[in-house]
Amino acid sequence: MLDGEGRILAEAVFTQSEEHARFGGVVPEIAARAHLQRLGGLVRGVLAEAGLGVGELGGIAATAGPGLIGGLVVGATFGKGLAMGAGLPFIGVNHLEAHALTARLPGLFPQAPAYPYLLLLVSGGHCQCVAVEGLGRYRRLGTTLDDAVGEAFDKAAKLLGLPWPGGAHLERLAATGDASAVKLPRPMLGRPGCDFSFSGLKTAVAQAVAKGLYRPQDIAAAFQTSVAAVVADRARHAHAMLPGATALVVAGGVAANQTVRASLAAATPLPLLAPPLRLCTDNAVMVAWAGLERLRAGQSDPMALAPRPRWPLDELRPPDEVAVTPPSSH
């Protein structure tokens, strides 16, 4: 929950990792059920912590896509219900836009990045370079041709016998390894543009494991080093495509990896802005901030807005091109 200036009044997170870990990944049905069971209590707790009632809020924001449709339906429907009941505007947020705008959250950095800036979104479901040219103005410069980088981390970790989610476990294992002991490919390195590809690297890890000749920590270190080199190379190319960029913002779960961060910091002369881990991964604060930015610009959404499992950033429009829906009178 944010105040009108974007300061955090209260926040809460419920993680479902333990429920999904035994299946080796997210199970959509379990995720949607957990949303339904926990969301009401989380909202009541956050309101109590902030000392506010629903009627004192200025608007309600909820993620409307992209993502697993079950969770989106639960969250968006809950948000619409709160908005209708209190006569508040509703904003259906694209969670990729929320990642793109997180670096502008007041107080997060000494100075919020001015437009245009580069966004590198590296998570389990997304891997793309985006030119952030203004609210609702996004130009995708490159994306993955196959696996997202976070997905590649999880698959490599699974091949190495590590628990899910694998990114943090693989990073800890890699810290004790020798990256030069195993030769792994660096897909797309040096190629024009800033697209990504990780399926070949994942296959190479599988082959290295199957040979039984290398220590797991060396494979982990080589994999992590390859990913960091590729991501840094793609960031350099993205900067060349947007030479006027004021900063390089990195978000998503992989943004927490220290080797990746170090490579990105050295990749371009741009300031590297990496939000704290709790704000790098999907979270309610970033959704609230994106909603507040939209609300300040005079935008709200109709209650008929349908959640979208696929919702590319470049399909968004600036608020001045979007019809404004007045708050419900109910």
Side-chain angles (χ1 to χ4, degrees), residues 24 94 100 103 120 174-175 177 244 264-265 287 325:
N94 179 306
L120 178 61
L264 286 171
V287 174
T325 301

Side-chain angles (χ1 to χ4, degrees), residues 39 41 43 60 197 304:
L39 190 53
V43 170
I60 303 290
S197 173

Side-chain angles (χ1 to χ4, degrees), residues 43-77:
V43 170
R44 284 191 295 271
V46 167
L47 286 169
E49 183 181 341
L52 295 171
V54 176
E56 297 175 88
L57 303 179
I60 303 290
T63 303
L68 297 175
I69 192 62
L72 293 174
V73 168
V74 172
T77 302

Side-chain angles (χ1 to χ4, degrees), residues 19-231:
E19 297 180 59
H20 297 288
R22 58 196 176 104
F23 298 102
V26 175
V27 180
E29 203 170 307
I30 292 175
R33 191 180 305 121
H35 277 62
L36 193 60
Q37 292 170 342
R38 300 284 182 165
L39 190 53
L42 283 173
V43 170
R44 284 191 295 271
V46 167
L47 286 169
E49 183 181 341
L52 295 171
V54 176
E56 297 175 88
L57 303 179
I60 303 290
T63 303
L68 297 175
I69 192 62
L72 293 174
V73 168
V74 172
T77 302
F78 189 92
K80 290 176 186 178
L82 286 178
M84 290 180 68
L88 298 171
F90 171 75
I91 304 96
V93 172
N94 179 306
H95 98 259
L96 302 182
E97 178 173 56
H99 279 303
L101 299 176
T102 297
R104 291 171 46 80
L105 192 69
L108 201 58
F109 300 106
Q111 186 172 355
Y115 298 123
Y117 57 88
L118 285 169
L119 168 69
L120 178 61
L121 181 56
V122 280
S123 69
H126 303 279
C127 186
Q128 51 189 271
C129 292
V130 179
V132 181
E133 298 172 330
L135 182 61
R137 299 182 187 277
Y138 308 104
R139 187 160 49 90
R140 191 172 66 184
L141 304 177
T143 189
T144 183
L145 305 179
D146 37 63
D147 290 347
V149 62
E151 181 184 1
F153 261 97
D154 284 341
K155 288 180 177 177
K158 185 175 182 179
L159 288 166
L160 291 168
L162 300 174
W164 180 92
H169 295 288
L170 188 144
E171 183 176 12
R172 283 192 290 271
L173 181 63
T176 64
D178 176 8
S180 65
V182 186
K183 187 174 182 180
L184 293 178
R186 299 181 176 184
M188 309 294 284
L189 190 75
R191 293 196 188 181
C194 55
D195 285 335
F196 301 83
S197 173
F198 293 104
S199 63
L201 177 57
K202 178 194 66 181
T203 300
V205 169
Q207 292 171 342
V209 171
K211 287 179 181 177
L213 301 176
Y214 309 107
R215 299 188 308 162
Q217 57 265 48
D218 293 340
I219 297 174
F223 169 82
Q224 182 175 259
T225 299
S226 292
V227 168
V230 167
V231 170

